[in-house]
Amino acid sequence: MTLWEERAARNEVVFREVNEQVAGLEQGSAGGSASFLCECAEPACIDRIGVPLDVYEAVRAHPRRFIVRPGHERPELERVVGTQDDFLVVEKVGDAGAVAERAARRP
Ligand SMILES: [Zn+2]
């Protein structure tokens, strides 16, 4: 695993932690959606994506899965497991997946 790959995986984990806080704040507005940060590997990306909360929760149930804007997926790090109009659901493969899973287990 290259340093770049390790950094890319960690970057996505940071965005996930921010988005989990967004989801927590939006709890209670049942059936609603929230504006989440794109969870892609690009550190400079600040795109926001409107995602229904129930969809976000379903993605978050998988430690290796992330939400990214279409075109922001990295085939060398992840594979697309879901396609919507505004976003893709990607699943980390290989070492990037292992990094994501380790981070998700942190208390
Ligand atoms: Zn992005």
Side-chain angles (χ1 to χ4, degrees), residues 1 48 52 106:
M1 176 176 216
R48 286 183 169 270
R106 262 196 332 240

Side-chain angles (χ1 to χ4, degrees), residues 81-94:
V81 295
T83 305
Q84 304 287 332
D85 285 345
D86 296 337
F87 60 88
L88 303 176
V89 178
V90 297
E91 183 168 305
K92 298 283 164 198
V93 295

Side-chain angles (χ1 to χ4, degrees), residues 38-42 45-47 49 68-69 72:
C38 176
E39 295 176 332
C40 76
E42 170 55 60
C45 177
I46 54 170
D47 282 5
I49 312 167
V68 303
R69 186 173 282 292
H72 291 204

Side-chain angles (χ1 to χ4, degrees), residues 11-80:
N11 181 58
E12 296 186 341
V13 168
V14 169
F15 280 118
R16 179 167 64 188
E17 287 170 358
V18 171
N19 282 341
E20 282 174 351
Q21 292 174 11
V22 171
L25 292 173
E26 297 290 337
Q27 291 296 341
S29 50
S33 62
S35 180
F36 292 99
L37 289 167
C38 176
E39 295 176 332
C40 76
E42 170 55 60
C45 177
I46 54 170
D47 282 5
R48 286 183 169 270
I49 312 167
V51 181
L53 283 173
D54 56 344
V55 172
Y56 182 80
E57 291 299 327
V59 171
R60 194 49 66 239
H62 297 268
R64 291 174 181 245
R65 292 190 179 182
F66 296 84
I67 291 169
V68 303
R69 186 173 282 292
H72 291 204
E73 70 275 18
R74 299 278 190 149
E76 72 273 31
L77 295 176
E78 57 214 11
R79 64 189 172 93
V80 176

